[in-house]
Structures are given as structure tokens and as C-alpha cells.
Amino acid sequence: MYRFRLKIEFDGRPFVGWQRQSNGLAVQEVVETAGEALSGAPTPVVGAGRTDAGVHALGMVAHIDLPKNYPPQTVKDALNAHMRPHPIAILDASEAPADFHARFSCQGREYLYRVLNRRAPRALRAHHVWQVGPELDLPAMEKAAATLIGKHDFTTFRSVQCQAASPLKTLSSIHITQEKDEVHFGFYAPSFLHNQVRSLVGSLVQVGLGRWPPAQMADALQAKDRAACGPVAPPDGLYFVKAYYP
């Protein structure tokens, strides 16, 4: 078998998430089906992360094993052709060593969350941003976010259905910026818990709206109790941006 590294962009709206599931169509399943159409044999695909239903990707990394050493451009073009009309695109394909593993070789993952911060409707960005009408207080959210950096027990900010063995995670950085009428939340960490980013954004927005004082974020973290989390942000505004490798 020959291993190829893929960089994938997708619109998460039609899918139950990245990982193949029994309750609907997943991005992984579409890519695997396209690989089998190319090669005539089963083609396992492994991604750098698992995204929920409705979550998008700008640069998901995956590896695919094919029975023939195709030119990378052929792999890219053929997969894109076989995946039509699904909103998934292979942006790049390259040969990878046999020991490359999209998930286990990954040393860091970057996510972006987009909040449309205006009262006018989201005519062109429906399902791709979370709209919050009242103006958000960025300095207050930045103060609250600073308490989250480092290694913590993130029980408060993970789904009750999370299958991770431990709630301990190291959050390396959070950047909150104003981009015209959007507020962008950027997160970087070696790995994340299920629903962690959306939970953090939902709680930070509570701070930005003045419903929580900044210190309540630290209190929620220390509570180690899901009930202390603010409303979870919807999947619409979340993007898997990049996977980092040695």
C-alpha cells in the first residue's frame, strides 16, 4: 500500500461530522468512497481530528492508503472528481512515508470560531458564522480567556459524551480579534476535547455580552462541572484550520 497525505477543505453542513457514523453521511466516508472509486479497492482514510456535524474545515489533514503509487496530482484530481457534488475539496495531495499518521503524528491543532457581531441579518454567511447582535466587549473576553491558557482540567468545557480518557488538556493560545463585522476566536492546542472549543466560545461570549464578569470564566473552569458552562456555541462558526506536524 502507498500512503498519501491530503489537505482537505469542506463545508460541514450536509455531514454528521468528519468520522464515519451509522446515523448519516460523514466526510470520511465520502473521501473513502472516492478513493475506492479511484483504486478499485477499500481505501482507509484517517483525519487529524474529529469534527462535529455542521463544523467546517479550511485545512483538515488526512492520510489515505492506496494500492498503487499514483502521481499525487492524479490522486488530488481523481478524488475531487469522484466526490462531486459534495462540498469537499482536496486542496493538496503528496506522498507520505509509511509511518506518517494524520492523527498520531500531529503535534498541534488550530481552530477558528467566527462570530458575526451585528444586528443586520447574515444574508451571505448563513450557516458559516454565529450571529450575536449586541456589541461584544473584546478586552473583557481577552481577560477571561487568559485564565484558560495552560494545562487544566476542562471538565466544565467538554461534552458529557466526550470519550477522551482524561479531561486534562493544555490550551496553548487563544487569540480574539475584530475582523470588520466579525469577532474571531483562534485556538491552538496539541489536542482538544469533544465540544471544547464551542463550549469555551459560548462562555466567552457571555463575558463579552456583560452577562458574566471575566472572573466567572476562571470560576467555571475550577468548578469542573458541566453545569457551570455557558450556552454552547452552535457549530456554524467553527472551522478546523490547520494540523501541525514535525
Side-chain angles (χ1 to χ4, degrees):
M1 298 293 283
Y2 296 89
R3 183 156 293 186
F4 292 84
R5 173 172 165 170
L6 308 176
K7 181 180 179 182
I8 307 173
E9 174 185 274
F10 60 81
D11 182 329
R13 286 179 295 168
F15 306 109
V16 294
W18 163 265
Q19 188 169 4
R20 184 186 282 267
Q21 299 175 46
S22 60
N23 62 329
L25 186 64
V27 178
Q28 180 186 38
E29 180 179 351
V30 174
V31 181
E32 288 179 339
T33 300
E36 186 167 354
L38 164 63
S39 67
T43 55
V45 174
V46 177
R50 301 174 182 177
T51 57
D52 291 335
V55 175
H56 317 294
L58 302 174
M60 172 65 77
V61 172
H63 73 253
I64 185 170
D65 291 328
L66 297 172
K68 181 180 176 181
N69 192 16
Y70 299 95
Q73 188 66 40
T74 298
V75 174
K76 174 183 172 181
D77 292 344
L79 291 179
N80 282 330
H82 288 300
M83 290 191 299
R84 296 189 185 112
H86 297 291
I88 306 172
I90 306 299
L91 303 180
D92 184 64
S94 58
E95 296 179 12
D99 62 352
F100 172 79
H101 194 285
R103 181 181 175 191
F104 297 130
S105 300
C106 185
Q107 295 185 335
R109 295 159 176 86
E110 181 181 349
Y111 281 89
L112 165 69
Y113 198 98
R114 297 169 57 194
V115 173
L116 178 60
N117 194 201
R118 73 180 193 198
R119 294 189 181 278
R122 49 181 184 173
L124 297 177
R125 284 168 278 184
H127 308 294
H128 291 92
V129 294
W130 176 27
Q131 184 167 12
V132 177
E135 184 177 356
L136 295 171
D137 184 339
L138 265 68
M141 293 191 295
E142 289 170 343
K143 184 176 180 180
T147 65
L148 302 168
I149 302 302
K151 186 175 183 178
H152 302 286
D153 181 328
F154 281 98
T155 294
T156 298
F157 301 104
R158 75 163 175 170
S159 167
V160 294
Q161 298 171 336
C162 181
Q163 298 178 352
S166 169
L168 292 175
K169 290 292 177 182
T170 299
L171 189 53
S172 304
S173 66
I174 304 176
H175 296 290
I176 305 174
T177 58
Q178 184 80 45
E179 306 291 338
K180 296 184 179 180
D181 59 359
E182 294 187 15
V183 175
H184 288 184
F185 298 80
F187 296 83
Y188 176 81
S191 61
F192 291 88
L193 298 165
H194 185 199
N195 273 172
Q196 184 179 355
V197 172
R198 289 169 55 199
S199 298
L200 292 173
V201 170
S203 295
L204 287 168
V205 165
Q206 293 299 297
V207 175
L209 291 171
R211 297 171 183 169
W212 283 19
Q216 189 168 339
M217 184 64 72
D219 293 342
L221 180 66
Q222 292 301 318
K224 302 183 181 72
D225 183 353
R226 185 63 173 166
C229 182
V232 177
D236 305 48
L238 184 57
Y239 297 77
F240 186 104
V241 176
K242 188 175 181 179
Y244 292 83
Y245 296 90

